[in-house]
Amino acid sequence: MYAQLVETGVKRLKTEDEMSAQERDFQQRIDAEIKIEAKNWMPDAYRQTLIRQISQHAHSEIVGMLPEGNWVTRAPTLKRKLQLMAKIQDEAGHGLYLYSAMETLGADRDSEIAKLHSGKAKYSSIFNYPTLTWADVGAVGWLVDGAAIVNQVVLQRTSYGPYSRAMIRICKEESFHQRQGYEMLLTMMRHGTQVQKDMVQDAINRLWWPSLMMFGPSDEHSPNSAQSMAWKIKRQSNDELRQRFIDQTIPQLQVLGCSVPDPALQWNAERGHYDFGEIQWEEFYQVLKGNGPCNQERVATRRQAIEDGAWVRAAAVAHARKKHLKNVA
Ligand code: FAQ
């Protein structure tokens, strides 16, 4: 097992003998399902893993607003526009809860955001794909929020208290997003023109594989999973969650009357799961390296937003200072 872990780049876990007394106590708390809070002692690697994961998660929420934001001015009805604006606003809120959870670990929000803007920080690969038609907005809600929920429902039980509590609130809102996306696609499939139906199928064709990639590399190529599972930061593996998403989503796809671009997809009665084809991991790693269709555009848009908003932040600080001076006078 160890040889295999080293070979695939997966990090080796410390044995109990290699742990310090503090590390052993910490692991016992985790094993007893006691949440770790900001003021508790924690191994530095636990802290750094959480800062990495929570900051990437927060960046994903914020960058995730961009592909949908492109459609606010082009939503087909007032109802759809209001729904979309509310959803995008929710994503901003999720980013804020998550940055706050990250700050409880001693990380600095501005420095983490600066890493996003310099292209150093990761965010979910899915947001580096374009949203080409209105049907993509429905497909993002259904597939992308759907995949996000499968992952996040489990994270509600993550071992770090502030992250776990943020996830409870986020999950409630994400399930609304998933349903509104699905309802949008169902409306197009049931009442739309042939052109609209084709748009839905095309959106699913383009977003299906990137949605499966959201769960991360397969377990044997996931360097962080073994330690994150031992610390109960992650409660289920990347492959387990990906399989759950597929099993949950295919019956919904059948109700829509659509298909996925995977000839290998079929129900396996023996396993009690859907079998599916090989994910194009080369594409996934290229997107992570910054070579996806929209990586440069997304980061440039974020940078521009920060520059354009500088005067608002300066005004807010000046106002707060003036108020403070008045109060102390
Ligand atoms: N994209 O060893 P692992 C949303 C990186 S929220 C980019 O398996 P880990 C809401 C990974 O960070 C979507 N990078 O890593 C919404 C690691 O990099 P590093 C975001 C990825 O952390 C909807 C390396 O590969 N959700 O969509 C991806 O144990 C609609 C090795 O991977 C979360 O962030 C990827 N897909 O497991 C918003 C959930 N996958 O730092 C707007 C929280 C892996 O070692 C509109 N995060 N990487 O260089 C997690 O659960 C985990 O971090 C995983 C990855 C499962 C994503």
Side-chain angles (χ1 to χ4, degrees), residues 2-187:
Y2 174 48
Q4 191 194 351
L5 292 179
V6 171
E7 207 171 280
T8 56
V10 174
K11 293 165 196 160
R12 186 177 76 87
L13 302 189
K14 274 190 185 174
T15 63
E16 223 177 299
D17 289 344
E18 289 167 336
M19 289 181 191
S20 67
Q22 257 179 328
E23 284 172 334
R24 263 196 299 274
D25 284 353
F26 175 82
Q27 190 62 50
Q28 275 164 10
R29 274 180 77 106
I30 300 269
D31 294 343
E33 298 290 335
I34 300 169
K35 290 267 180 271
I36 306 300
E37 297 297 338
K39 287 187 178 154
N40 297 145
W41 183 87
M42 59 186 85
D44 192 51
Y46 177 84
R47 186 185 298 279
Q48 295 312 325
T49 299
L50 278 167
I51 293 175
R52 178 185 66 78
Q53 178 167 325
I54 302 176
S55 64
Q56 289 175 359
H57 194 167
H59 300 331
S60 304
E61 301 283 354
I62 301 295
V63 177
M65 296 162 72
L66 301 175
E68 295 179 300
N70 283 340
W71 284 92
V72 171
T73 54
R74 289 172 287 168
T77 65
L78 180 62
K79 180 181 126 184
R80 293 296 186 203
K81 190 193 283 269
L82 290 173
Q83 278 178 350
L84 182 59
M85 282 175 16
K87 176 185 191 301
I88 295 170
Q89 225 167 1
D90 285 351
E91 308 298 0
H94 300 171
L96 297 182
Y97 311 150
L98 287 165
Y99 284 126
S100 298
M102 177 199 79
E103 283 173 323
T104 65
L105 292 154
D108 178 63
R109 185 184 300 218
D110 289 343
S111 335
E112 295 306 318
I113 292 179
K115 285 183 205 158
L116 170 69
H117 293 165
S118 67
K120 272 193 207 136
K122 291 195 173 80
Y123 56 86
S124 185
S125 48
I126 187 74
F127 301 117
N128 292 308
Y129 291 84
T131 41
L132 299 179
T133 71
W134 173 251
D136 287 29
V137 174
V140 166
W142 175 47
L143 293 176
V144 176
D145 284 87
I149 296 172
V150 167
N151 174 284
Q152 291 171 347
V153 160
V154 185
L155 285 174
Q156 292 178 112
R157 294 189 296 114
T158 193
S159 57
Y160 186 55
Y163 191 24
S164 152
R165 290 188 287 276
M167 292 319 308
I168 291 169
R169 183 148 178 198
I170 290 175
C171 279
K172 289 198 170 77
E173 294 176 352
E174 295 288 27
S175 50
F176 163 75
H177 298 164
Q178 194 263 357
R179 282 169 201 205
Q180 65 91 30
Y182 189 65
E183 193 266 340
M184 201 184 283
L185 296 184
L186 203 56
T187 305

Side-chain angles (χ1 to χ4, degrees), residues 151-256:
N151 174 284
Q152 291 171 347
V153 160
V154 185
L155 285 174
Q156 292 178 112
R157 294 189 296 114
T158 193
S159 57
Y160 186 55
Y163 191 24
S164 152
R165 290 188 287 276
M167 292 319 308
I168 291 169
R169 183 148 178 198
I170 290 175
C171 279
K172 289 198 170 77
E173 294 176 352
E174 295 288 27
S175 50
F176 163 75
H177 298 164
Q178 194 263 357
R179 282 169 201 205
Q180 65 91 30
Y182 189 65
E183 193 266 340
M184 201 184 283
L185 296 184
L186 203 56
T187 305
M188 282 196 261
M189 290 307 293
R190 291 212 169 139
H191 308 291
T193 61
Q194 191 55 47
V195 173
Q196 288 169 317
K197 291 178 188 174
D198 293 346
M199 256 165 51
V200 172
Q201 183 59 61
D202 176 59
I204 296 171
N205 289 348
R206 283 180 289 103
L207 290 169
W208 176 249
W209 289 109
S211 299
L212 299 190
M213 293 173 193
M214 285 176 72
F215 295 93
S218 58
D219 294 348
E220 70 270 26
H221 295 288
S222 162
N224 302 299
S225 277
Q227 183 63 77
S228 288
M229 297 277 278
W231 279 330
K232 299 190 181 177
I233 292 174
K234 284 167 89 163
R235 310 287 313 224
Q236 284 193 295
S237 78
N238 297 358
D239 285 333
E240 282 169 338
L241 293 173
R242 190 173 3 254
Q243 181 73 64
R244 179 176 306 163
F245 171 70
I246 293 171
D247 291 348
Q248 243 171 244
T249 305
I250 297 303
Q252 296 169 15
L253 178 87
Q254 287 160 350
V255 172
L256 277 180

